[in-house]
Amino acid sequence: MVYKYVCNKCGTKTTKKLPYGDYDCGEGGCDGHLAYYVDMPMPEPLAQGLVVNDAVGEVLAGNSILAGALRMVFNKTAKGRSAPGSTNVNHIHVGGNAQLNLLFDSVSYTVLGLVNGHMEKGMSQKIANEASRVMQRFGTGTTTLVIEGDSIRRG
């Protein structure tokens, strides 16, 4: 049987016949010390973030595609585009679909909700009204939600 070691200085990995031995690296003149290690898969950290209370129901009813969009917002990697006629509210297309938009506070990354329909300057009055309703949630009470794998749940 062989045991895995890694140098604490240069990161070189090697194997030895004895566990917990006292070994020096010596790789390319390195004077580091070899430490015994075990490969262990690291679980992906859960993404969690705030969703305004009025949007919790519509977000919890989402699928794996919406979970991916929420993860981007919660991890603060979503940039999005500004929502027409708003300040500090951006939107991203859920799953790349311009017909389903996730609106969020671009400063705190708090999710405001969903708008069904393409958001642009010349959008229909129906979509403009829906976007306005969602944007009015800005600054209201929030709930923490967690993304675990492809599922969305309360934190």
Side-chain angles (χ1 to χ4, degrees):
M1 180 165 193
V2 293
Y3 298 91
K4 297 177 181 181
Y5 284 84
V6 64
C7 176
N8 67 349
K9 189 170 186 180
C10 71
T12 298
K13 293 182 179 178
T14 187
T15 58
K16 299 290 182 183
K17 291 186 178 184
L18 298 174
Y20 307 112
D22 187 19
Y23 301 107
D24 291 326
C25 180
E27 179 72 24
C30 178
D31 61 354
H33 185 76
L34 295 181
Y36 177 73
Y37 78 97
V38 177
D39 285 321
M40 293 179 61
M42 297 301 290
E44 182 179 324
L46 299 179
Q48 65 179 15
L50 298 175
V51 176
V52 295
N53 293 333
D54 288 342
V56 169
E58 63 194 43
V59 171
L60 282 175
N63 57 19
S64 63
I65 296 170
L66 179 58
L70 287 169
R71 182 178 287 109
M72 288 173 54
V73 174
F74 292 168
N75 289 338
K76 299 181 180 176
T77 59
K79 299 295 179 221
R81 292 190 294 233
S82 64
S86 70
T87 303
N88 294 335
V89 175
N90 283 5
H91 73 281
I92 58 173
H93 300 154
V94 176
N97 179 357
Q99 299 301 315
L100 183 58
N101 300 283
L102 179 66
L103 277 67
F104 62 96
D105 175 341
S106 62
V107 175
S108 69
Y109 286 83
T110 299
V111 172
L112 303 176
L114 296 167
V115 172
N116 292 302
H118 186 65
M119 294 175 58
E120 58 188 345
K121 286 186 181 181
M123 63 186 139
S124 72
Q125 190 59 49
K126 178 183 174 189
I127 295 169
N129 289 343
E130 188 174 348
S132 177
R133 178 184 57 79
V134 171
M135 285 187 278
Q136 287 175 2
R137 297 171 176 172
F138 193 94
T140 62
T142 60
T143 298
T144 299
L145 294 187
V146 174
I147 308 302
E148 188 170 11
D150 287 339
S151 64
I152 306 163
R153 64 173 172 82
R154 291 181 187 269

